[in-house]
Amino acid sequence: MSSQAEVVAYNAAAFICALFVLEYGADRFIDHTVILAKRLGIPQGLLALLTAGAEWEELAVVVVSIMRKRSSLALGNIVGSTISNILGAFSLGLLFIRPQDHAGETLFDASSKIYTVLQLALTVITGALLAFARDHINWKLAGWSLILIFVLYILSIAWYIRKGVLEAPELSDSDSDSDSESGEDGPAADDTSDDERTPLNRAVRGFPSKKPFKKPRRLVYHIAMLILGLSAVVLSSFVLSYSASGIADALGLSDVLVGVVILSLATTLPEKFIAVMSGSRGHLGIMLANTVGSNIFLLALCLGITLVATDGQFNQDSVNPIEIGVMIASTLAMTITVWLNAMWARAMGALMLVAYVAFCILEFLLVRK
C-alpha cells in the first residue's frame, strides 16, 4: 500500500471512529444537561429548544479548525451543514410524514413560521456578506454583529417561553429515557392511577409489571456525565477536523470542498435521525425546530466566531457563489414549504433530497474540480 493510501485509510478510520464518539458525547451532554436543568430549576422549555437546535458539535469543529489554522474548513463546514440540514435532513422528515394523519390540520404554527422567516433573512444577509462584501466591510464588526444576533435570538426564545407564547419542542426519546432511568420522575407516566403503578396493585389488577422505582442519582453524577459528554464532543471534533484535513491534503482536495460535503454530511447525522423519527411520529414542530435552530446557530454564532477570529482572511479560499446560491435557494424552498403547510410534503422532500445528492456530486466533479 502506498504512503498516500495509508494516510487516507488511517484518517478515514479515525474519522469514522470519531463519529461514534461524537454521537456518544452529544447524547450524554444533552441528556444530563436536561436532568440538571430539572434539578436546578432552569426552565425546561428553553433548555429543550436549545438541545433540539443547538449545534454544539459543529461549534467545537469550527473552533478546533480555526485553532489549527484551517479556517476554510470551518467556513465550508458551516455553509455545507446549513445546506445539509435542509436538503439532507429536513427533506427526510418530509418524506416520512404521513399525510393521512394530518388531514386538515395546521402543521406549523405562527411562531414556527416567524422563526423560519428569521432563518431566511439571516441566510440572505450572511450569503450576501460572503459573496459581495469581501473588500468593503469590517469583518470583525460583522462577526460581532452576528454573535449579537444570536444572543438576541436566544433572549427572544426565553422571553416567548416565559410568556407562554411559544411552546417548547418535546424532548427526544433519549432525553426522556435518561431522565426516567435516573429515577427523576419515577416510573413513566401512563393512564393508570398512582396506586395502579405499584408492583403489587398492578399484578392484582392484571397490569404488566414494571421495573421498581430507582433512587435518583446524586447531582454530582450528572455534572460528571455532562463534563464527560462535553469532553467527548471536543475530542471527537478535534479528530474529525484533523482527519478531514488529512484526507484533503492526501487527495489534494480543498478545505472548502471537504467542509462543504464530507465534514458537514458527517456532523449533521444527528439532525437526519431526528428528522426521520419526528416526521414519522408526527412531531413536526421538533423536526422544524431542529433544522431552523441548527441553521441559526451555525450562521449567527459559528460564522460570527469564524469572522471575528479570522477577520475575513481564510487560509485557502472562501465559499463560492454557487454554494452560497444553493444555501439561499434551499432555505427559501424550506420557508415556502412551511408557509404552505407542507403541501405536497413527500414530493418536496424527494425533490430536496435529489437536489442534495446532485449538489454533492457536482461539488466533486465540477465546482471544486
Side-chain angles (χ1 to χ4, degrees), residues 203-355:
V204 171
R205 294 171 181 264
F207 291 102
S209 61
K210 286 194 172 185
K211 294 181 179 179
F213 178 81
K214 294 183 179 180
K215 182 180 179 180
R217 297 184 183 274
R218 294 179 179 274
L219 190 64
V220 66
Y221 168 81
H222 298 294
I223 294 176
M225 292 300 296
L226 186 149
I227 296 174
L228 175 63
L230 183 59
S231 300
V233 168
V234 174
L235 175 63
S236 60
S237 300
F238 174 80
V239 177
L240 283 172
S241 173
Y242 191 91
S243 58
S245 59
I247 294 174
D249 292 339
L251 299 179
L253 303 176
S254 70
D255 278 354
V256 177
L257 174 61
V258 175
V260 168
V261 179
I262 300 175
L263 192 56
S264 63
L265 180 62
T267 54
T268 56
L269 287 177
E271 284 69 33
K272 293 175 176 59
F273 176 79
I274 292 174
V276 170
M277 297 302 295
S278 57
S280 62
R281 296 178 181 179
H283 302 307
L284 305 186
I286 299 177
M287 180 181 73
L288 182 65
N290 179 59
T291 303
V292 172
S294 296
N295 283 0
I296 293 178
F297 191 99
L298 286 165
L299 295 175
L301 181 61
C302 294
L303 182 58
I305 291 174
T306 302
L307 296 181
V308 170
T310 63
D311 197 16
Q313 303 300 317
F314 305 107
N315 68 295
Q316 289 186 8
D317 55 352
S318 179
V319 290
N320 61 37
I322 295 177
E323 293 155 344
I324 294 173
V326 172
M327 180 179 71
I328 294 175
S330 61
T331 308
L332 178 61
M334 176 183 176
T335 304
I336 294 174
T337 301
V338 171
W339 277 79
L340 292 180
N341 201 37
M343 187 181 300
W344 308 299
R346 290 185 174 177
M348 182 60 72
L351 181 62
M352 286 183 173
L353 191 59
V354 170

Side-chain angles (χ1 to χ4, degrees), residues 102-157:
H102 305 282
E105 295 183 12
T106 300
L107 302 184
F108 303 106
D109 59 19
S111 61
S112 298
K113 295 178 180 179
I114 290 173
Y115 278 99
T116 305
V117 172
L118 173 62
Q119 175 197 215
L120 176 61
L122 182 60
T123 303
V124 172
I125 292 172
T126 53
L129 285 175
L130 294 173
F132 305 113
R134 175 161 296 279
D135 300 323
H136 310 283
I137 193 172
N138 184 324
W139 285 104
K140 288 191 175 181
L141 178 61
W144 283 116
S145 299
L146 290 176
I147 294 173
L148 177 60
I149 290 175
F150 178 76
V151 173
L152 295 176
Y153 159 72
I154 296 298
L155 291 177
S156 72
I157 294 174

Side-chain angles (χ1 to χ4, degrees), residues 43-171:
Q44 281 288 306
L46 176 59
L47 190 55
L49 183 57
L50 292 178
T51 55
E55 292 277 16
W56 301 111
E57 64 274 18
E58 297 280 6
L59 178 60
V61 169
V62 167
V63 171
V64 171
S65 297
I66 293 173
M67 291 175 62
R68 298 188 59 249
K69 308 299 182 182
R70 309 298 290 260
S71 54
S72 293
L73 183 64
L75 179 64
N77 182 48
I78 292 170
V79 173
S81 295
T82 302
I83 296 172
S84 183
N85 281 335
I86 297 176
L87 298 184
F90 185 74
S91 62
L92 290 174
L94 292 177
L95 285 174
F96 280 84
I97 290 178
R98 293 179 295 186
Q100 66 273 16
D101 295 340
H102 305 282
E105 295 183 12
T106 300
L107 302 184
F108 303 106
D109 59 19
S111 61
S112 298
K113 295 178 180 179
I114 290 173
Y115 278 99
T116 305
V117 172
L118 173 62
Q119 175 197 215
L120 176 61
L122 182 60
T123 303
V124 172
I125 292 172
T126 53
L129 285 175
L130 294 173
F132 305 113
R134 175 161 296 279
D135 300 323
H136 310 283
I137 193 172
N138 184 324
W139 285 104
K140 288 191 175 181
L141 178 61
W144 283 116
S145 299
L146 290 176
I147 294 173
L148 177 60
I149 290 175
F150 178 76
V151 173
L152 295 176
Y153 159 72
I154 296 298
L155 291 177
S156 72
I157 294 174
W159 186 84
Y160 275 121
I161 291 175
R162 293 183 69 86
K163 292 293 184 180
V165 176
L166 177 62
E167 181 182 357
E170 300 175 26
L171 295 176

